[in-house]
Amino acid sequence: MRGARRAFTLLEMLIAVLLLTLLVATAVYSFRFVLLNLSKQQFSGINRLLEYTQLRGSIASMRYYVVDNYDSFSNPMNQLHYFFKGNPKQMVYITQNPVFSNSTAVAKVECKDKKLLYTEEPLYRRIDFTQPKVLKDSSQKVLFSKLLNCEFIYHKNRQTQSQLEETLPDSVEFKLTTKKGALNFYVNIQTDFNVTKAYIENDKHDF
């Protein structure tokens, strides 16, 4: 004689529903976690691209500036010369395309504490514009961190230099190294729209 067919008890049904609920909740949480990570990575990628673009724009728009005496009534053009100070770990320059403000600023890009830092100070607010410099409390941004190596190389008249002053480079090469590998890129200086130093020198006799 066959045994009687045994049905699920109420307790077994409740346990099965509970286990199914836990499985669904775990799957939903995992899916949400993956979506949030993807969103953060995309947002981080967009931020990095924006910072990279801002840095390129700031460096590319270097310009000459008055660093001696400025006298609008006495041949001010004779006092113009290029302001730039660069070494393998730091460069200071005047930019027409700053990151933090809408006016001409003095900017400093430096390798410090395994970071690539960008610091900026508006030229006509708190500093002596004849001797431009960034201040300790100037606006600052960390562009890259956890760098194993950070170095700047300057290209001028098809020559490579580790230091450059009182003249603008033709381009700046960034050599950065992280745990993921090397990141090298160039920034060309766009000085064609400026009055060049040669033009200023040739124009002195016309005043």
Side-chain angles (χ1 to χ4, degrees):
M1 184 176 178
R2 295 181 180 178
R5 187 175 179 181
R6 184 171 176 273
F8 290 108
T9 65
L10 180 60
L11 180 59
E12 290 173 334
M13 293 279 293
L14 289 174
I15 292 174
V17 170
L18 178 61
L19 291 175
L20 182 61
T21 302
L22 289 175
L23 288 173
V24 172
T26 303
V28 170
Y29 176 79
S30 299
F31 182 67
R32 184 168 177 242
F33 181 76
V34 170
L35 286 180
L36 285 175
N37 274 347
L38 286 175
S39 177
K40 287 180 180 178
Q41 289 177 4
Q42 290 177 350
F43 184 73
S44 176
I46 293 173
N47 262 354
R48 178 57 56 86
L49 178 61
L50 178 61
E51 290 173 349
Y52 173 73
T53 302
Q54 289 176 329
L55 175 63
R56 288 186 68 91
S58 172
I59 296 174
S61 63
M62 288 182 191
R63 58 163 293 176
Y64 67 84
Y65 201 68
V66 178
V67 292
D68 296 320
N69 299 315
Y70 182 78
D71 184 355
S72 59
F73 298 102
S74 179
N75 298 341
M77 295 295 287
N78 292 346
Q79 304 297 332
L80 293 177
H81 69 262
Y82 288 106
F83 175 81
F84 182 85
K85 296 180 180 180
N87 61 53
K89 297 297 181 181
Q90 175 182 289
M91 61 178 167
V92 184
Y93 57 93
I94 303 298
T95 177
Q96 288 182 305
N97 189 19
V99 174
F100 297 107
S101 64
N102 296 322
S103 59
T104 304
V106 55
K108 177 170 70 173
V109 181
E110 62 180 331
C111 303
K112 184 178 180 181
D113 301 328
K114 296 184 178 181
K115 299 175 182 177
L116 180 63
L117 303 174
Y118 176 87
T119 312
E120 177 185 294
E121 180 68 37
L123 202 56
Y124 298 109
R125 292 185 185 176
R126 305 185 299 165
I127 61 177
D128 179 4
F129 73 89
T130 64
Q131 298 295 328
K133 61 181 179 179
V134 293
L135 305 177
K136 290 183 178 180
D137 60 342
S138 299
S139 300
Q140 188 176 85
K141 175 180 288 191
V142 178
L143 300 174
F144 291 91
S145 59
K146 299 180 180 179
L147 294 174
L148 302 179
N149 183 54
C150 178
E151 183 181 2
F152 309 141
I153 297 176
Y154 310 101
H155 299 271
K156 180 70 175 179
N157 298 328
R158 298 183 179 180
Q159 294 182 350
T160 299
Q161 302 184 42
S162 60
Q163 296 195 20
L164 197 65
E165 287 193 17
E166 301 302 328
T167 185
L168 299 186
D170 297 326
S171 65
V172 180
E173 179 182 357
F174 285 75
K175 301 187 72 172
L176 310 178
T177 305
T178 67
K179 291 182 179 179
K180 296 181 179 180
L183 174 62
N184 296 352
F185 60 91
Y186 291 80
V187 181
N188 293 320
I189 312 305
Q190 302 171 354
T191 57
D192 291 344
F193 60 88
N194 285 329
V195 179
T196 64
K197 190 174 184 178
Y199 178 82
I200 294 170
E201 294 297 326
N202 292 334
D203 225 28
K204 283 182 178 180
H205 304 291
D206 297 335
F207 283 94

